[in-house]
């Protein structure tokens, strides 16, 4: 007979496991944070032409990563990296895996659940098509705009050794940042594509920026540094890569990963 006491013991053991996991992950996050850079790396600076002062002339390959989940099985997902040409933003390649999540979802530690699968895609791309390894990756998730300053985009960037940019669809609440009247008034002041304002917390730290990515896109996106790139460069590049509200590398990663999941279910149902 399954008693209330037995149920309480199971819950207690799960709580102990989660607390232990959370402590380990927090330590790892702090270690990764020490390695991340919020300045333009030499590889990012090389995108520009010093002679003409033109920006991004040597930038040719963009990456976008995302993970889409099966609605019928929340542990089943499709992790994908999409490669786009720049500046025309055409998809030229993608590498994906159908995977099963083995780590629990704990708020603030999403990267530990998702990054291993994204790294697997990137590693396979490096092995099979090294000429298509992107020069920068846009991530569907925040970078330093995170409770401990090391979100999904930063975690991936440090481990992959590639410049990364965090793209948030909603404002992450940290250091006093919230959707209050002041924030809403600043959003209303963004009148056209490319307008932005810094996200300054109570500590006076700049966590990222709110960026309007289209004349018709009233709601901004939230750009944050992932790794090896400055907020100024990241914001400028994201604006250039956004014919729609969501920058094209992330938008295409989302579209393709969802399609791959749907197609995999259709094949299974037809067997």
């Amino acid at each position: 007979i399954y008693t209330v006491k037995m149920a309480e013991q199971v819950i207690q053991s799960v709580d102990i496991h989660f607390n232990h996991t959370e402590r380990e992950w927090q330590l790892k996050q702090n270690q990764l944070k020490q390695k991340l850079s919020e300045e333009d790396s030499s590889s990012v600076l090389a995108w520009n032409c010093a002679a003409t002062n033109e920006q991004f002339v040597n930038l040719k390959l963009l990456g976008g990563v995302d993970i889409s989940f099966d609605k019928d099985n929340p542990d089943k997902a499709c992790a994908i990296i999409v490669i786009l040409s720049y500046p025309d933003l055409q998809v030229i390649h993608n590498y994906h895996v159908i995977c099963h999540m083995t780590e629990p979802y704990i708020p603030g530690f999403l990267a530990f659940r998702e990054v291993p699968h994204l790294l697997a895609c990137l590693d396979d791309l490096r092995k099979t098509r090294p000429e298509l390894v992107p020069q920068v990756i846009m991530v569907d998730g925040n970078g330093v705009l995170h409770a401990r300053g090391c979100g999904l985009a930063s975690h991936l960037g440090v481990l992959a050794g590639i410049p990364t940019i965090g793209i948030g669809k909603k404002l992450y609440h940290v250091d006093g940042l919230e959707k209050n009247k002041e924030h809403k008034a600043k959003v209303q002041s963004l009148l056209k594509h490319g307008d932005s304002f810094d996200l300054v917390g109570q500590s006076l730290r700049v966590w990222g920026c709110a960026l309007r990515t289209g004349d018709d896109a009233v709601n901004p996106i939230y750009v944050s540094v992932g790794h090896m790139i400055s907020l100024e460069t990241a914001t400028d590049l994201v604006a250039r890569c956004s014919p729609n509200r969501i920058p094209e590398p992330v938008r295409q990663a989302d579209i393709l990963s969802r399609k791959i999941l749907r197609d995999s279910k259709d094949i299974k149902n037809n067997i």
Side-chain angles (χ1 to χ4, degrees), residues 66-68 76-81 94-101 114 116-122 124 257 260-261:
D66 191 21
I67 293 186
S68 292
K76 179 184 176 183
C78 175
I80 192 169
I81 180 167
N94 81 79
Y95 196 95
H96 67 271
V97 293
I98 301 295
C99 52
H100 288 81
M101 297 294 162
E114 297 191 356
H117 304 289
L118 297 174
L119 283 175
C121 291
L122 183 57
D124 282 331
S257 59
I260 290 164
L261 270 181

Side-chain angles (χ1 to χ4, degrees), residues 150-169:
C150 188
L152 180 63
S154 296
H155 194 123
L156 177 65
V158 171
L159 292 180
I162 293 178
T164 52
I165 302 171
I167 305 297
K169 302 180 183 73

Side-chain angles (χ1 to χ4, degrees), residues 56-81:
F56 308 120
V57 291
N58 296 317
L59 178 59
K60 305 300 180 183
L61 296 174
L62 307 171
V65 296
D66 191 21
I67 293 186
S68 292
F69 289 86
D70 189 326
K71 294 180 181 179
D72 299 323
N73 181 359
D75 288 329
K76 179 184 176 183
C78 175
I80 192 169
I81 180 167

Side-chain angles (χ1 to χ4, degrees), residues 26-38 144 148-150 154 158 227:
Q26 186 168 341
L27 177 62
K28 182 65 174 178
Q29 270 184 344
N30 290 334
Q31 293 171 342
L32 291 172
K33 182 181 176 181
Q34 298 305 313
K35 297 179 181 180
L36 74 83
S37 169
E38 297 183 51
V144 299
R148 282 167 296 282
C150 188
S154 296
V158 171
H227 182 47

Side-chain angles (χ1 to χ4, degrees), residues 136-257:
V136 59
I137 298 174
M138 295 187 191
V139 181
D140 184 15
N142 293 317
V144 299
L145 180 55
H146 178 268
R148 282 167 296 282
C150 188
L152 180 63
S154 296
H155 194 123
L156 177 65
V158 171
L159 292 180
I162 293 178
T164 52
I165 302 171
I167 305 297
K169 302 180 183 73
K170 297 180 180 179
L171 176 65
Y172 189 91
H173 292 192
V174 65
D175 192 20
L177 294 176
E178 56 180 293
K179 272 193 163 183
N180 52 23
K181 290 183 179 179
E182 180 183 358
H183 181 81
K184 291 178 180 178
K186 288 182 178 179
V187 168
Q188 291 177 349
S189 73
L190 304 178
L191 302 179
K192 64 183 184 303
H193 178 277
D195 285 352
S196 68
F197 63 83
D198 288 345
L199 301 172
V200 182
Q202 291 176 345
S203 67
L204 302 183
R205 172 187 168 91
V206 177
W207 293 88
C209 78
L211 172 68
R212 181 162 180 166
T213 48
D215 294 336
D216 298 326
V218 177
N219 296 320
I221 60 170
Y222 297 95
V223 179
S224 57
V225 170
H227 182 47
M228 296 171 63
I229 192 168
S230 67
L231 179 60
E232 181 181 2
T233 301
T235 303
D236 189 358
L237 180 59
V238 169
R240 294 170 186 249
C241 295
S242 300
N244 300 284
R245 176 175 177 255
I246 305 303
E248 201 64 8
V250 171
R251 194 177 81 93
Q252 288 297 333
D254 176 67
I255 291 172
L256 287 170
S257 59

